[in-house]
């Protein structure tokens, strides 16, 4: 099975094999400590966009025992992610200095998550839990001080809250909503490319939802700002958690009411209309000009794939 086969249509990364988050255990420190001490407790160790992976004969493994995680240099504070098959899972951070010390070792390394997933080296059934670990660890690393008074805050409730000892303010993880849109006009679809994309890759346009803005308004605004295209008939498809650092991708479709593209070069390198045949070849990586669509890892692939196999609005 290839990495492409791992994400069938409608099932991008991070959306399947959801954990039992067991939120009722977060406020019970004694139970959390007991869970951490269990023999079947495991942890994902996160550094920025990478996972600490144990190297074994059959390949890299991201799930570590708590003892292994600490031995490799992980920070001692654990974040309770939840239960899988009744076994407790935790997230742990690790410093840049500790990661640096791993570079000379053969039994462990820190590997960039997205690349590992695209190579099929991380089991799909672990990705949902890894997304939680990555989002939560990164949130703690970015929010160590009270936004109200500047005092160093402390982890509470299994890592799902930070509390200020000075002003008593409570701080909770946030998720940023992002709209990602498949825009069609008859039998053609709008896609763009950013300069950091791999050569020849085009994808759906996307952007953050702004304050006091509806999803529908965000879709119309982002499409117009990036491409100059006016849209209507905005419809919801599905969402994808996206731990970069902690977003929720809101997949939508929309119908264009204009055709002339005016690219915002500060956002996109290019934007084009593609017909269904061309888009099909791009998804299959068979386009004669070497153009490619998004990887099945991402919701954009599934928006485009549904349209390729379905009608004008993408519904098969």
């Amino acid at each position: 099975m290839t990495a492409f086969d791992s994400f069938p249509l409608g099932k991008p990364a991070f959306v399947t094999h959801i954990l039992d988050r067991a939120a009722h255990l977060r406020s019970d420190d004694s139970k959390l400590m007991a869970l951490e001490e269990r023999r079947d407790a495991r942890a994902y160790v996160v550094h920025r966009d990478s996972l600490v992976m144990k190297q074994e004969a059959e390949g890299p493994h991201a799930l570590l025992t708590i003892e292994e995680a600490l031995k490799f240099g992980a920070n001692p504070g654990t974040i309770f992610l939840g239960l899988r098959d009744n076994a407790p899972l935790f997230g742990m951070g690790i410093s840049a200095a500790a990661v640096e010390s791993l570079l000379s070792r053969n039994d462990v390394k820190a590997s960039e998550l997205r690349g590992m997933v695209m190579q099929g080296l991380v089991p799909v059934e672990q990705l949902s839990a890894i997304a939680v670990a990555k989002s939560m660890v990164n949130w703690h690393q970015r929010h160590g001080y009270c936004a109200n008074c500047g005092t160093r805050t402390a982890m509470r409730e299994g890592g799902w809250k930070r509390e200020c000892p000075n002003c008593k303010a409570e701080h909770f993880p946030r998720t940023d909503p992002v709209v990602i849109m498949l825009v069609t006009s008859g039998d053609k679809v709008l896609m763009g490319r950013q300069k950091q994309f791999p050569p020849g890759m085009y994808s759906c346009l996307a952007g953050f939802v702004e304050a006091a803005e509806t999803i529908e308004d965000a879709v119309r605004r982002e499409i117009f700002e990036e491409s100059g295209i006016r849209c209507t008939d905005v419809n919801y498809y599905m969402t994808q958690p996206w731990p970069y650092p902690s977003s929720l991708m809101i997949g939508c479709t929309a119908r264009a009411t204009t055709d002339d593209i005016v690219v915002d070069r500060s956002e996109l390198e290019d934007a084009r209309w593609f017909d269904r045949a061309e888009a099909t070849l791009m998804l299959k990586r068979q386009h004669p000009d070497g153009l490619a669509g998004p990887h099945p890892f991402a919701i954009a692939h599934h928006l485009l794939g549904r349209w390729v196999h379905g009608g004008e609005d993408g519904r098969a």
Side-chain angles (χ1 to χ4, degrees), residues 102-114:
L102 300 177
L103 297 180
S104 61
R105 298 179 57 161
N106 296 322
D107 59 333
V108 60
K109 68 175 182 177
S111 301
E112 196 271 330
L113 174 61
R114 192 180 326 210

Side-chain angles (χ1 to χ4, degrees), residues 139-140 143-157 160-172:
W139 177 73
H140 281 285
H143 294 84
Y145 293 86
C146 180
N148 188 47
C149 71
T151 302
R152 178 74 180 179
T153 55
M155 287 175 55
R156 295 286 186 268
E157 296 193 5
W160 288 87
K161 179 173 78 172
R162 294 193 72 91
E163 190 174 82
C164 178
N166 180 48
C167 70
K168 309 305 179 186
E170 296 178 328
H171 305 276
F172 298 90

Side-chain angles (χ1 to χ4, degrees), residues 34-313:
L35 287 173
E36 190 175 322
E37 293 171 357
R38 279 174 42 171
R39 292 177 60 87
D40 59 351
R42 294 293 184 271
Y44 295 106
V45 178
V46 177
H47 174 65
R48 297 178 182 170
D49 289 339
S50 297
L51 284 174
V52 172
M53 309 280 284
K54 182 173 60 173
Q55 298 290 89
E56 297 188 341
E58 62 271 26
H61 285 256
L63 263 181
L64 309 176
T65 66
I66 303 295
E67 182 181 0
E68 286 172 333
L70 293 172
K71 185 171 62 177
F72 293 149
N75 301 326
T78 58
I79 301 164
F80 177 60
L81 307 180
L83 305 173
R84 177 186 288 132
D85 298 328
N86 205 41
L89 292 182
F90 296 88
M92 301 175 74
I94 186 170
S95 69
V99 170
E100 185 74 20
S101 70
L102 300 177
L103 297 180
S104 61
R105 298 179 57 161
N106 296 322
D107 59 333
V108 60
K109 68 175 182 177
S111 301
E112 196 271 330
L113 174 61
R114 192 180 326 210
M116 296 288 283
V117 174
M118 290 183 176
Q119 295 174 58
L121 298 178
V122 180
V124 172
E125 62 269 18
Q126 294 188 33
L127 294 181
S128 177
I130 290 172
V132 183
K134 186 178 181 307
S135 291
M136 292 296 293
V137 168
N138 287 344
W139 177 73
H140 281 285
Q141 291 173 342
R142 297 192 313 275
H143 294 84
Y145 293 86
C146 180
N148 188 47
C149 71
T151 302
R152 178 74 180 179
T153 55
M155 287 175 55
R156 295 286 186 268
E157 296 193 5
W160 288 87
K161 179 173 78 172
R162 294 193 72 91
E163 190 174 82
C164 178
N166 180 48
C167 70
K168 309 305 179 186
E170 296 178 328
H171 305 276
F172 298 90
R174 60 172 289 171
T175 296
D176 297 315
V178 177
V179 287
I180 182 165
M181 301 74 67
L182 184 88
V183 181
T184 59
S185 178
D187 201 43
K188 58 186 180 181
V189 63
L190 176 68
M191 288 192 287
R193 62 168 281 108
Q194 299 176 7
K195 62 181 180 180
Q196 68 267 29
F197 283 1
M201 176 185 158
Y202 282 75
S203 187
C204 298
L205 305 192
F208 287 98
V209 179
E210 294 186 345
E213 186 175 43
T214 67
I215 291 171
E216 293 84 357
D217 284 342
V219 167
R220 289 187 286 263
R221 175 184 55 77
E222 284 288 343
I223 291 296
F224 180 71
E225 287 178 356
E226 295 188 358
S227 69
I229 299 295
R230 296 287 188 183
C231 294
T232 188
D233 297 341
V234 177
N235 288 292
Y236 167 79
Y237 170 44
M238 68 176 294
T239 57
Q240 180 190 25
W242 192 248
Y244 294 94
S246 187
S247 297
L248 181 66
M249 307 299 292
I250 305 169
C252 296
T253 60
R255 180 174 60 84
T257 58
T258 61
D259 282 340
D260 294 334
I261 296 173
V262 181
V263 177
D264 179 354
R265 299 293 176 181
S266 66
E267 295 283 344
L268 298 175
E269 186 177 82
D270 187 30
R272 289 177 47 186
W273 291 106
F274 297 90
D275 63 31
R276 202 180 300 267
E278 200 171 12
T280 300
L281 292 174
M282 292 168 72
L283 285 179
K284 293 180 178 180
R285 302 300 198 267
Q286 296 175 358
H287 194 282
D289 296 331
L291 302 183
H295 192 280
F297 174 80
I299 190 174
H301 173 96
H302 301 263
L303 280 162
L304 185 60
R306 191 177 69 146
W307 177 76
V308 162
H309 296 294
E312 180 179 345
D313 64 357

